[in-house]
Amino acid sequence: MINVALPKGRLGEKVYELLCQIGYRCEEYSKDSRKLIFSDERGEVSYFWVKPSDVAVYVELGAADIGVAGKDILEEYCPDVYELADLKMGKCSMCVAALGDFKDDLSSPLRVATKFVHTAEKYYAEMGRDIEVIKLNGSIELAPVLGISDVIVDIVETGTTLKENNLKVVSKISDISARLIANKSSYKFKNDGILRICEKLKKAVESSD
Amino acid sequence: MKNKICAKREESIISELSTLYRQYGYKRYKPSCFEEYALYQENKDFLIGKNVITFSDLNGELMAMRPDVTLSLIRHSDISDKVTEKYFYNEKVYRQSSGGRNYKEISQIGVEVVGAIDETVVGELTILVCKTLETVSDDYILDVSHMGFTEGLLNEFTSNRNQLSEYLRTKNLHDFYSLAEKEKYPKKLISAFETAVNACGSPQNVLKSAKLAILNSTMRDAVDELTALFEVLDEFDYADKVNINFSATANADYYNGVIFNGYVKNIPHCVLSGGRYDKLIEKFEKDGGAIGFALYLGEIERYLAKDSESIDYLIIYDGKTNLEALKTARKLRSDGASVRISTSISVGQIYKELIDLTEKEADE
């Protein structure tokens, strides 16, 4: 039995659909049910849905053998897991954005508002730019508008929210998409099962690409 | 009780392992709890966590509570490439618990061999690694890697070293392919990297494909050494417990040969790690090599059996029957039973039989 942690929400539903297509449907599962864990009747897999940012924690601690997490989360928390496949879903990018007339003033530290503190610190450390991080948990776009930060580091999907708030992308840090991750111990003890799911998923992703 | 992987208690594992290591002729090493902070500061990257507990001693010198035993051993022992010294230790170390935000006292038991190291030493030590894991559970897997193979491979790439080493460590081929396309890596290099990432499984198969991926003499020596090691392990019936996994890497500033990572079924993280670390000896300007491993008992504590709460007899006494209680208990204990005497029944106490010496009085 392989335990799979999926992210709650649209992405998780899409990944589940894909898993169904490759033969890991769970008859017991219904979208409206309030149950937390669902098992496939053949006993091959069981699913549970958790907050997207928690998937990596469940996998690292072995509650789930495999899971699906955004590359943004993996870059930010650096969990000790294997990253086995790019599912090419939930595509977006991690970007630096600022007000339209922004110019970097190198005489003082750059004030960066973000949810992704580690990602921002790493990015600017590599550039050798001194920064002050302002950790926010949501509505990051507000920070430069209200003047508490010079730039933001955040996920940009379509760019609509940025545009509506007079912000523009200054630079792209990395491309983001959903990744299949595996617990390091499970990878050894359930190697056949995990590799089977992984290979089928990769094929399904390729053919839909 | 789903989480109990091992029916043994921590003490019994420690005592079994100490006996085992003594049987192999290892001497017990007992370091001081404190060391000069400089030792750890200079070798920060050798430690599992970067943080250590520091304090000033009476001379005003900055000291640290040891976060590791290996560094103390290398610093304080005479090492020569003419003699092989074999030590084991069973100590507490003080560091951040894995994933935790606090310092923890972690019990650690391990083995270090320093000085002259040859194939036989490596072979015997690997058998000892298997026997150590076996003490925790029969259902274990030992991941073996070789720094010569991984470093030899990474050195073939002229740039992006950190990124590549991260891709190897996390078995991330998809991002590697994107990078390879961007950097236009030659086919041979791409296929060698693929082999390293996909390597996981029985030594026989993995070594066969590893041989085809050899790009330089460092990698060849590594494959030869692993082949020799597996011949020994096969001879001693440990081959099926061992996996070659080149994703298991260690810090190349210290480690240079075989690398061990031990896993036990149903424990989600690595429980044992170690390897060959001649480069650390070099840093201390001593001659010879070193190889060792540690079992992180503190990290697996929750999966081990706890002190049993159940006793054979519970004797309840009061002011008038205390002597009688002591005597009854002595008699029962001499028959081998576990007996607890108390004035009341504590919450959660499990016992097979209750002897209430206060009852008689109530009857009268």
Side-chain angles (χ1 to χ4, degrees), chain B residues 165-176:
Chain B
S165 129
E166 172 75 15
Y167 293 159
L168 178 60
R169 206 174 51 79
T170 55
K171 293 195 179 290
N172 180 344
L173 273 180
H174 40 277
D175 286 332
F176 168 74

Side-chain angles (χ1 to χ4, degrees), chain B residues 106-359:
Chain B
I106 296 169
S107 88
Q108 193 169 308
I109 187 161
V111 157
E112 313 285 356
V113 182
V114 294
I117 311 283
D118 61 13
E119 262 179 28
T120 318
V121 169
V122 178
E124 191 194 66
L125 188 110
T126 314
I127 291 173
L128 213 47
V129 170
C130 293
K131 282 188 172 282
T132 302
L133 287 166
E134 222 169 51
T135 311
V136 180
S137 162
D138 285 333
D139 224 341
Y140 70 89
I141 288 176
L142 174 65
D143 261 4
V144 175
S145 177
H146 198 292
M147 291 303 286
F149 191 86
T150 50
E151 285 304 294
L153 172 65
L154 293 174
N155 287 340
E156 290 286 324
F157 295 87
T158 44
S159 55
N160 304 308
R161 214 195 135 83
N162 288 346
Q163 227 169 339
L164 287 163
S165 129
E166 172 75 15
Y167 293 159
L168 178 60
R169 206 174 51 79
T170 55
K171 293 195 179 290
N172 180 344
L173 273 180
H174 40 277
D175 286 332
F176 168 74
Y177 290 141
S178 314
L179 184 70
E181 206 180 295
K182 201 178 101 196
E183 301 279 343
K184 300 199 171 49
Y185 291 139
K187 244 190 188 157
K188 209 173 146 196
L189 221 56
I190 296 178
S191 108
F193 195 86
E194 272 174 346
T195 308
V197 169
N198 287 332
C200 189
S202 81
Q204 242 179 346
N205 296 337
V206 176
L207 281 173
K208 227 183 264 169
S209 56
K211 262 186 197 136
L212 299 174
I214 290 172
L215 300 169
N216 48 44
S217 60
T218 326
M219 291 173 86
R220 177 163 308 111
D221 292 347
V223 172
D224 287 347
E225 197 186 326
L226 287 177
T227 311
L229 176 62
F230 286 110
E231 273 168 22
V232 176
L233 292 176
D234 197 26
E235 193 65 35
F236 284 79
D237 292 330
Y238 286 109
D240 60 328
K241 289 292 188 187
V242 180
N243 259 353
I244 292 194
N245 182 3
F246 292 120
S247 292
T249 56
N251 191 320
D253 292 337
Y254 299 95
Y255 289 92
N256 60 307
V258 285
I259 297 295
F260 307 114
N261 275 308
Y263 291 86
V264 167
K265 195 171 182 183
N266 293 331
I267 298 185
H269 48 78
C270 169
V271 301
L272 173 150
S273 73
R276 180 89 181 253
Y277 55 95
D278 297 357
K279 288 188 182 172
L280 180 69
I281 310 289
E282 245 171 70
K283 274 189 206 271
F284 280 84
E285 293 173 355
K286 298 187 179 192
D287 295 324
I291 184 166
F293 66 86
L295 175 70
Y296 307 120
L297 275 172
E299 306 276 8
I300 59 171
E301 205 186 341
R302 78 189 70 193
Y303 303 100
L304 303 178
K306 294 278 176 302
D307 265 342
S308 161
E309 279 162 4
S310 165
I311 49 169
D312 296 329
Y313 294 97
L314 176 63
I315 302 178
I316 301 295
Y317 67 94
D318 57 16
K320 287 177 187 159
T321 53
N322 49 1
L323 196 61
E324 193 187 339
L326 285 168
K327 281 182 178 164
T328 316
R330 180 178 64 182
K331 172 145 195 342
L332 291 169
R333 284 186 195 122
S334 69
D335 296 337
S338 54
V339 190
R340 178 186 173 130
I341 66 167
S342 177
T343 51
S344 60
I345 304 176
S346 54
V347 181
Q349 178 71 61
I350 304 164
Y351 48 83
K352 286 186 192 139
E353 207 169 308
L354 179 72
I355 303 174
D356 191 348
L357 296 177
T358 60
E359 248 170 19

Side-chain angles (χ1 to χ4, degrees), chain A residues 2-208:
Chain A
I2 295 194
N3 299 310
V4 188
L6 291 175
K8 264 185 203 160
R10 221 171 34 189
L11 176 66
E13 294 298 332
K14 252 176 103 178
V15 175
Y16 175 67
E17 273 311 308
L18 195 64
L19 283 159
C20 290
Q21 280 171 31
I22 59 168
Y24 294 96
R25 180 178 297 281
C26 175
E27 298 302 337
E28 210 185 296
Y29 173 67
S30 103
K31 237 185 194 173
D32 311 315
S33 166
R34 300 190 72 148
K35 261 182 77 166
L36 294 171
I37 302 178
F38 301 93
S39 301
D40 170 32
E41 57 180 35
R42 286 169 302 164
E44 253 191 284
V45 279
S46 91
Y47 294 104
F48 55 90
W49 270 261
V50 295
K51 204 176 150 128
S53 54
D54 288 342
V55 170
V57 179
Y58 281 87
V59 174
E60 187 178 14
L61 296 180
D65 300 310
I66 57 174
V68 172
K71 185 68 180 172
D72 51 328
I73 302 294
L74 301 177
E75 295 271 4
E76 180 64 19
Y77 298 103
C78 308
D80 190 17
V81 295
Y82 291 135
E83 189 187 316
L84 302 179
D86 182 354
L87 302 181
K88 299 186 178 167
M89 292 175 182
K91 280 187 184 174
C92 51
S93 28
M94 184 66 75
C95 289
V96 179
L99 286 172
D101 56 357
F102 165 77
K103 268 208 178 72
D104 194 0
D105 169 15
L106 295 170
S107 65
S108 58
L110 186 71
R111 294 172 306 159
V112 183
T114 186
K115 214 171 12 176
F116 302 94
V117 176
H118 178 246
T119 308
E121 282 173 344
K122 194 176 150 220
Y123 176 69
Y124 283 105
E126 275 167 16
M127 281 173 48
R129 180 75 174 100
D130 201 13
I131 62 166
E132 266 169 30
V133 175
I134 298 146
K135 158 98 178 153
L136 294 177
N137 295 302
S139 307
I140 320 287
E141 295 84 2
L142 256 181
V145 175
L146 298 180
I148 63 165
S149 84
D150 302 315
V151 298
I152 62 170
V153 166
D154 205 11
I155 287 171
V156 178
E157 231 180 299
T158 55
T160 319
T161 322
L162 290 184
K163 232 176 250 165
E164 282 175 2
N165 290 291
N166 284 327
L167 298 168
K168 60 164 194 199
V169 172
V170 177
S171 58
K172 188 168 93 175
I173 299 179
S174 62
D175 287 317
I176 307 289
S177 58
R179 307 295 165 97
L180 177 72
I181 56 173
N183 175 273
K184 287 193 165 179
S185 181
S186 305
Y187 184 83
K188 291 159 224 310
F189 290 99
K190 299 182 179 177
N191 193 265
D192 291 347
I194 290 178
L195 286 185
R196 206 176 316 133
I197 295 189
C198 178
E199 285 314 312
K200 281 187 186 171
L201 266 177
K202 273 193 206 167
K203 261 191 206 134
V205 170
E206 263 166 44
S207 64
S208 67

Side-chain angles (χ1 to χ4, degrees), chain B residues 57-82:
Chain B
D57 77 354
L58 298 176
N59 308 321
E61 197 141 356
L62 192 58
M63 303 292 283
M65 303 270 282
R66 53 149 197 259
D68 154 277
V69 178
T70 312
L71 285 172
S72 304
L73 190 143
I74 300 303
R75 182 189 192 176
H76 299 296
S77 51
D78 283 332
I79 299 171
S80 127
D81 54 2
K82 308 271 179 308

